[in-house]
Amino acid sequence: MENEANLSIYRAARTIKRRQNTLYNALRSIYDDSIFVGEISQLWPQLPLLANLRCGLWYSSNFHSTCYFKSTDGHTNNWSFNTSRLNLHVALLAGQKGGCMIVDSTRKGKRFPDSMSKTIPIWTCVLNRSVYNYRKKMCNSVVLVEGESNASDENVKSTSQISADWDCSLHLPLWVSETEKAAINDRLEEWTKGLDTSGADIASLASCLKKPLRPLWISQKSVIWLNEVPDHDSWDFTPIILVSASSPSGVIQSRTTSEFSWNYIPGAGDDEESWARGLTPKLFWNNAYDLISSGPDVCNQKVADIVEKNRVYRAQRGQVAPQVHVKPSKVLGNSSDLSCLEPPLSSDISNLKIDLKSSDKDSTISWLGSTNLAVGTSQHAAKECNVDCILNCDQDSITVCLSNAEAYLHLPMVNSKLDRFSLLRNLPSAVNFAKLNISKGKTLVICCQSGEDISVCVCLAILTSLFDDGGNFDDGKSFSQTGITKMEMRRRLVFLCKFATNARPSRGNLKQVFSFLSSGRVDPV
């Protein structure tokens, strides 16, 4: 009986939590937090606003672009500087614009997620050190020819002065302990060496970054005197302003307007699969006023109508439009237990399982320099007519505008969480298809549903197998003559991410690529 009582208490607690975490509560919380984000962005309107994927993307309709800093890279005793998530485009943008703002949030009751407390500070410090090393190397390599003009002398002195004043220290928020800061400091040199040898384009960063990168932190508890807001140009560093969108209370708060009562959820944009019911940030902001003003009673139905209308719109245009799948609601005990639950949706739209993330991005096909290779979403590949061949790694086939049927290959692949060997089984066919066509000078687009993971990993395998380290097609000669190492694969991935800035390859898929390359399974055509 005691166990049954404990189980009943657990079920009741879960029921209350589900009731508080309703769709309307989440959307209304996001909407309120977005007002704060908008106010902060107006303090420095010249600085571009970036969303840290995926949670941050919900908190504004006016993002310049996105980035991907993982909180796990900043978890205590798990600190990491990951070259597969280099985010070099963020540093370049900050250098060009004089800084940038990054938006994210957290559910955990902390003022900032670990991505902002530690991951980004580590990233700025390592990049600063790498730029310093590059400039020092360039300064030391300058050979003054006898009789050279004084302008060259001045240039050398200027470069030396910049290097001497360049801030390479680690800047962490005050709430990070000295012990943790010392442990991170001990690993900075190792991470910097890894970046220096990764093949990343530090030269371009060094040329556009006039001041070292440095993070600043702003939350809803920050006190800012509006008449004393400094201009971003007045700082002796390039600011990376980290905006934590949500209230850091960590407690669900009841709030009331003149029309509705609702519960505020900190970090409501997190874990969208568990609450969004197929709604995406773009769809939300296109319909935000209607959804917020309609209130909690009809919110679920309105979201279902919006999602279905968007699905039909996309399907009619031959775009990716997955069907809605119904997942039965979990019932706790008898019907009397459901008295405090949120009213269910109609059975045809209940608990939507739909993935339309690609509709959130104006992503296009990303061409990798002069390699004749490109990666992108299957949606955009289907509309790409100025390409010779398409390799589709999505689960669903697409209708392509290619004159030759043999120029299209569909190899359905799934994420490593669903099948640990899906890529490994298909990579030999993918590489051989690429080899056959690229050797004839044809262009090739590799696509998947998101354009961020599977297609990137397949392209990485092709790039490593068939191209030299300069990105030149050599029919696999350099690959057959040199053994593949994790460092070499990271170098190729950094090259790829230089062009495909939205790339987010998963660890499980990258492991399959390395297994394939290590086995050398590239068959002759």
Side-chain angles (χ1 to χ4, degrees):
M1 291 294 294
E2 184 177 349
N3 289 338
E4 290 183 8
N6 290 337
L7 187 59
S8 298
I9 293 171
Y10 172 76
R11 286 178 173 176
R14 295 287 295 176
T15 300
I16 293 170
K17 184 176 180 180
R18 278 199 299 273
R19 186 180 182 186
Q20 292 172 332
N21 290 343
T22 63
L23 180 57
Y24 183 81
N25 286 342
L27 296 179
R28 185 59 194 254
S29 301
I30 289 169
Y31 184 79
D32 275 25
D33 290 339
S34 73
I35 297 173
F36 167 72
V37 171
E39 291 172 348
I40 297 301
S41 67
Q42 288 306 307
L43 296 179
W44 296 280
Q46 304 91 343
L47 300 184
L49 189 68
L50 281 71
N52 193 33
L53 296 174
R54 291 178 302 164
C55 179
L57 199 58
W58 286 92
Y59 290 93
S60 177
S61 59
N62 299 309
F63 284 115
H64 177 280
S65 53
T66 62
C67 55
Y68 186 44
F69 294 98
K70 290 191 70 172
S71 285
T72 52
D73 290 338
H75 286 176
T76 302
N77 296 323
N78 193 45
W79 315 287
S80 175
F81 179 85
N82 200 319
T83 52
S84 66
R85 295 184 287 272
L86 194 51
N87 289 291
L88 200 59
H89 67 288
V90 178
L92 290 168
L93 181 64
Q96 293 163 2
K97 302 292 186 179
C100 70
M101 289 183 276
I102 299 176
V103 176
D104 203 350
S105 70
T106 180
R107 283 179 180 266
K108 297 180 180 179
K110 298 184 292 187
R111 289 179 65 184
F112 294 87
D114 283 342
S115 61
M116 290 184 164
S117 294
K118 285 168 279 189
T119 304
I120 295 178
I122 289 171
W123 173 80
T124 57
C125 182
V126 172
L127 287 186
N128 285 338
R129 286 172 172 241
S130 190
V131 168
Y132 173 80
N133 290 345
Y134 174 82
R135 287 179 170 168
K136 186 176 180 181
K137 179 181 176 182
M138 291 298 101
C139 184
N140 292 338
S141 65
V142 172
V143 178
L144 297 177
V145 180
E146 186 177 354
E148 192 173 358
S149 67
N150 290 332
S152 296
D153 292 332
E154 290 299 323
N155 185 51
V156 173
K157 290 179 181 177
S158 176
T159 303
S160 301
Q161 185 62 36
I162 291 174
S163 297
D165 297 337
W166 197 257
D167 183 9
C168 293
S169 55
L170 176 66
H171 295 277
L172 292 170
L174 295 176
W175 55 87
V176 177
S177 69
E178 289 297 321
T179 302
E180 190 169 4
K181 182 176 180 180
I184 294 173
N185 258 313
D186 289 342
R187 301 193 62 183
L188 288 174
E189 192 62 32
E190 171 194 344
W191 291 327
T192 305
K193 288 180 180 177
L195 176 59
D196 290 343
T197 58
S198 69
D201 189 7
I202 301 301
S204 296
L205 181 58
S207 65
C208 78
L209 202 60
K210 307 306 179 187
K211 303 174 184 177
L213 301 168
R214 182 168 174 177
L216 299 174
W217 296 268
I218 296 179
S219 73
Q220 291 197 25
K221 284 195 172 182
S222 300
V223 178
I224 300 175
W225 300 101
L226 297 182
N227 60 336
E228 296 181 4
V229 176
D231 189 89
H232 69 278
D233 286 334
S234 66
W235 288 314
D236 59 355
F237 53 84
T238 302
I240 306 294
I241 301 175
L242 307 178
V243 183
S244 184
S246 296
S247 172
S249 66
V251 179
I252 294 179
Q253 309 162 4
S254 295
R255 297 187 180 182
T256 304
T257 65
S258 58
E259 298 175 291
F260 312 113
S261 295
W262 55 284
N263 293 320
Y264 174 78
I265 305 173
D270 194 21
D271 191 23
E272 61 191 53
E273 290 87 358
S274 67
W275 61 266
R277 299 173 182 252
L279 192 69
T280 62
K282 184 176 182 180
L283 286 177
F284 168 62
W285 286 108
N286 286 344
N287 301 275
Y289 178 78
D290 188 29
L291 288 171
I292 298 303
S293 62
S294 63
D297 292 340
V298 297
C299 180
N300 288 350
Q301 187 62 56
K302 280 188 173 291
V303 167
D305 292 343
I306 290 167
V307 170
E308 178 61 14
K309 183 179 179 180
N310 182 65
R311 189 193 71 80
V312 172
Y313 175 88
R314 294 168 66 84
Q316 289 174 343
R317 285 154 181 78
Q319 299 176 6
V320 178
Q323 293 290 327
V324 175
H325 302 289
V326 178
K327 181 180 179 182
S329 300
K330 293 181 179 179
V331 178
L332 304 178
N334 55 41
S335 58
S336 64
D337 294 328
L338 302 177
S339 58
C340 62
L341 280 175
E342 174 190 6
L345 296 177
S346 57
S347 60
D348 61 326
I349 54 175
S350 173
N351 292 305
L352 292 176
K353 285 286 185 179
I354 185 171
D355 185 3
L356 289 174
K357 291 191 287 295
S358 59
S359 67
D360 275 353
K361 308 176 184 72
D362 295 321
S363 57
T364 56
I365 301 297
S366 300
W367 290 96
L368 311 186
S370 58
T371 62
N372 281 346
L373 289 175
V375 293
T377 63
S378 47
Q379 171 192 340
H380 284 91
K383 297 184 290 185
E384 189 68 43
C385 295
N386 298 321
V387 65
D388 299 321
C389 310
I390 293 178
L391 171 56
N392 179 19
C393 307
D394 200 349
Q395 288 183 271
D396 301 318
S397 187
I398 57 175
T399 302
V400 297
C401 49
L402 299 175
S403 57
N404 184 3
E406 293 183 356
Y408 173 73
L409 178 62
H410 181 210
L411 294 174
M413 304 183 206
V414 297
N415 192 277
S416 60
K417 291 183 179 179
L418 301 175
D419 184 345
R420 290 187 300 154
F421 305 106
S422 180
L423 266 74
L424 193 58
R425 285 194 302 270
N426 288 284
L427 283 176
S429 299
V431 172
N432 286 330
F433 178 75
K435 186 175 183 178
L436 175 66
N437 289 284
I438 297 175
S439 62
K440 298 176 183 177
K442 296 181 178 180
T443 55
L444 172 65
V445 171
I446 303 114
C447 63
C448 64
Q449 184 170 334
S450 69
E452 299 173 350
D453 186 2
I454 294 176
S455 58
V456 169
C457 289
V458 172
C459 186
L460 176 63
I462 293 170
L463 190 66
T464 308
S465 300
L466 304 178
F467 291 76
D468 62 20
D469 56 7
N472 304 303
F473 179 76
D474 66 355
D475 204 24
K477 291 179 181 177
S478 60
F479 175 71
S480 61
Q481 293 171 359
T482 58
I484 186 67
T485 63
K486 288 185 178 180
M487 177 59 71
E488 181 58 30
M489 197 176 87
R490 285 194 198 103
R491 288 175 59 88
R492 301 301 178 97
L493 181 58
V494 168
F495 173 83
L496 192 159
C497 292
K498 175 183 176 181
F499 303 98
T501 56
N502 65 328
R504 295 194 291 159
S506 64
R507 186 169 179 266
N509 288 341
L510 287 174
K511 287 177 69 175
Q512 292 180 71
V513 173
F514 184 72
S515 296
F516 165 75
L517 295 173
S518 299
S519 65
R521 295 193 299 172
V522 183
D523 302 324
V525 178

